[in-house]
Each structure stands twice: as structure tokens, then as C-alpha cells.
Amino acid sequence: MIIVLHAMEGNLCFFGSMLIPTLSYSFQHRRCIHCRSSCQLGIGFRVKSPKYKSFYKNIRMTVDDKQVVTEYFNTVGFERWRRIYSPTERVNRVQQDIRRGHQQTVNIILRWIEEDGGNISEQSFCDAGCGVGSLAIPLAKLGARVAASDISHSMIEEAQKRAKEEWGVIPSSLSFQVQDLLELQGSFDTVLCVDVLIHYSDAQLVSLLDSLSRVAKRRMIITFAPKTFYYVLLKKIGDFFPGPSKATRAYLHEEKDILDSLQQRGWQWIRKDLVKTNFYFCQIVQLEKRNRT
């Protein structure tokens, strides 16, 4: 099976620029499996694993990254990241490294929240893009009221399953729902958005930050992959070697752009930290609303 990278008006099959698993390069002219047109670039990829053929055959790609992310994390991506975020699951060396990095990020955020003090049981939290509940569940165990959401119904179902394994019955202080991050509703003392911005382009970032800012009353803690020369180089090298540890498109963001954008919305950063492992890099930023009443 050949997947072709090409561009045409109204449709873009951009598998080649994504970090997609189980692909190998095949520099041959082929007709696109999605729109049946001739490939303009003449670059295709052969799917090696039959396990993923149906996914790549059925998904119809457009320029909408949100659709790509939703489809990916509801299908092949869900199973991959479910294993990565499961401490007892056997994974490869790269995935183990990503697991460690993600857990370090979660631990730092939980520590910050505890250091800020106050009665956590009286505070409301929105975990936007909660995945399998890696942050929402331990936060709820601290006594917080947590509304967790994700664009993937598979992720939400897994998060609910893990919460039930933890408590038997999901406590009333913790809720999960399938929700688009650009359509967040409600008002929360703290909004958390962890390992999510990497899936959003610079063009989409403004709308996402607007959505997060709109529902946050006091504090935001967000993470993103920082756009530095070194990390840009690593990403470009990685783009040439699609493998089983890769996911969807990965976007790096300028720290200054994000902080300037949030400052315009009335936020100021309080503290930052950078988590770096061999295959995981994440800038964590805590912000607070200026001139709160």
C-alpha cells in the first residue's frame, strides 16, 4: 500500500510531513488513495504494518489539523499513547523516555499547585486535553474539583476507566467529557493544558489561547515544545526517520510569542521550568491574571 504526499486545490494529503508510525519511504509516482489524482511531488510512503492499513486507507486528510489529531487519537494513536502513559506496560526505549519526561512534567505541576497553598478542595480546575487522566486523577486525589476534557472519546473512556480503578466509582469532584479545546465552557480557578499545544500550529494557537484564557479566572499552567535552533534541528532530523515512536504533526512554538499573546490577554508569567530527556522536551509556564478582583 502506497500513501502519496501531494497537494491540490481543496485537498492536501500531508502524511509525509507528519510524524507517522510504520512508514517507509518509496520514491515512486503513484496515484493518491484519497482523491485518485496524480501525485504532484511524486513522493510516497509504503505502509509496512497491515495493522495500520485500514486507518491510513479510511482516513481522509484535509488541511484541518484538528481532524487529523482527533482521528489519530481515536485510533492507532490512542493505543500507542495509552501504553506510554501506563507505567506497567512494556514499551520501547524511546517510549520509556517519553513516559519519564511526561511524568516529570506532571510531578512539577502538582508540586507547584501544592506550593501555591490554599484549600485545594475549594479550588476548581480545568484539565484541557486531559488524555488518559495522567494529571486529572492525581489532582483529584489531592482533593481538587477537576473538570477534564479531551477531543478524543477513546482517551476519555480510558481516563474514566482509570478513575474507576482508582476509586471504584468516579467521585463527584471529577468529571470527564469529550470536548474541543476551542469550545471550552465554564469558569475555573485554574486551567491546565499539558502536552497539547504541540498539536496546534501557530495559526491555530491564537484561538486556543483565547479559549484557555476565557475560562481561567486566576491561574493557568501550560506546556509547549519550545522552538529553539537545537530542537528545530532535532525535529527535522526526526522527520526523515518515521518510526513506531512517532505521532502526528509536531509543532514547536516560540516562548516569546506565547507569553506576549497571553500578556495581551491580561496574564503574566510567575514561574517556568524546562523538562528535557533524550526524546521529550517541554517548557512549563505558570501564569496568573493581572489585577484580579
Side-chain angles (χ1 to χ4, degrees):
M1 178 180 177
I2 297 291
I3 294 178
V4 173
L5 170 65
H6 83 286
M8 64 175 294
E9 183 178 0
N11 190 29
L12 180 64
C13 296
F14 45 79
F15 283 94
S17 62
M18 296 173 65
L19 304 176
I20 282 195
T22 67
L23 302 181
S24 63
Y25 288 107
S26 176
F27 293 93
Q28 304 174 38
H29 289 272
R30 292 290 188 274
R31 294 179 65 83
C32 174
I33 63 171
H34 303 298
C35 63
R36 305 301 177 185
S37 67
S38 297
C39 171
Q40 295 181 14
L41 299 181
I43 301 176
F45 302 92
R46 184 177 300 276
V47 177
K48 296 187 293 184
S49 170
K51 178 180 178 181
Y52 298 110
K53 283 187 177 181
S54 61
F55 167 71
Y56 295 121
K57 183 175 181 180
N58 294 329
I59 186 172
R60 187 172 185 82
M61 306 303 296
T62 73
V63 294
D64 184 0
D65 284 326
K66 182 171 65 176
Q67 178 183 345
V68 177
V69 171
T70 304
E71 190 72 26
Y72 176 76
F73 283 104
N74 275 327
T75 51
V76 295
F78 162 70
E79 183 57 29
R80 173 166 294 104
W81 290 99
R82 183 197 65 78
R83 292 198 308 272
I84 290 176
Y85 294 152
S86 301
T88 59
E89 291 273 359
R90 294 184 61 182
V91 293
N92 63 38
R93 180 174 61 88
V94 173
Q95 293 169 337
Q96 286 177 348
D97 185 83
I98 294 172
R99 176 189 290 171
R100 285 193 297 270
H102 177 75
Q103 189 58 52
Q104 288 178 34
T105 297
V106 169
N107 292 343
I108 289 171
I109 292 173
L110 291 173
R111 188 183 77 240
W112 284 0
I113 291 171
E114 290 186 286
E115 289 175 353
D116 282 348
N119 188 344
I120 196 170
S121 64
E122 297 178 354
Q123 300 175 35
S124 58
F125 292 80
C126 168
D127 185 3
C130 66
V132 298
S134 303
L135 178 57
I137 291 174
L139 186 56
K141 288 175 67 176
L142 292 177
R145 291 180 284 116
V146 184
S149 62
D150 199 279
I151 200 171
S152 162
H153 65 77
S154 296
M155 289 290 187
I156 290 297
E157 290 171 1
E158 178 67 18
Q160 291 172 326
K161 174 185 174 183
R162 295 187 182 197
K164 290 176 182 177
E165 290 173 351
E166 184 68 38
W167 285 284
V169 177
I170 300 176
S172 59
S173 60
L174 175 62
S175 65
F176 295 100
Q177 67 172 322
V178 179
Q179 189 174 46
D180 186 340
L181 267 66
L182 300 179
E183 300 174 359
L184 295 175
Q185 301 294 325
S187 180
F188 304 90
D189 295 311
T190 301
V191 169
L192 310 164
C193 190
V194 178
D195 289 349
V196 172
L197 271 61
I198 195 170
H199 302 299
Y200 287 79
S201 67
D202 287 337
Q204 298 168 311
L205 194 60
V206 172
S207 297
L208 177 58
L209 294 178
D210 273 339
S211 182
L212 297 175
S213 181
R214 186 180 63 250
V215 297
K217 292 192 296 185
R218 182 175 67 87
R219 176 175 56 186
M220 280 201 294
I221 301 177
I222 63 174
T223 74
F224 56 92
K227 190 174 185 179
T228 66
F229 174 80
Y230 177 66
Y231 291 141
V232 168
L233 180 61
L234 282 182
K235 182 178 180 298
K236 287 186 178 296
I237 293 172
D239 287 348
F240 285 103
F241 300 97
S245 300
K246 303 297 178 63
T248 60
R249 284 187 172 192
Y251 293 104
L252 309 183
H253 297 292
E254 296 275 5
E255 179 180 318
K256 184 179 185 301
D257 292 343
I258 290 180
L259 296 184
D260 286 351
S261 181
L262 288 171
Q263 185 177 23
Q264 294 171 9
R265 291 163 175 77
W267 296 88
Q268 61 182 5
W269 71 270
I270 302 301
R271 51 184 165 184
K272 298 183 287 187
D273 203 348
L274 180 64
V275 174
K276 295 186 297 182
T277 65
N278 293 326
F279 299 97
Y280 177 96
F281 43 98
C282 170
Q283 180 71 61
I284 316 172
V285 181
Q286 177 176 332
L287 307 102
E288 289 189 358
K289 181 84 78 173
R290 293 197 305 267
N291 302 321
R292 292 188 292 116
T293 56

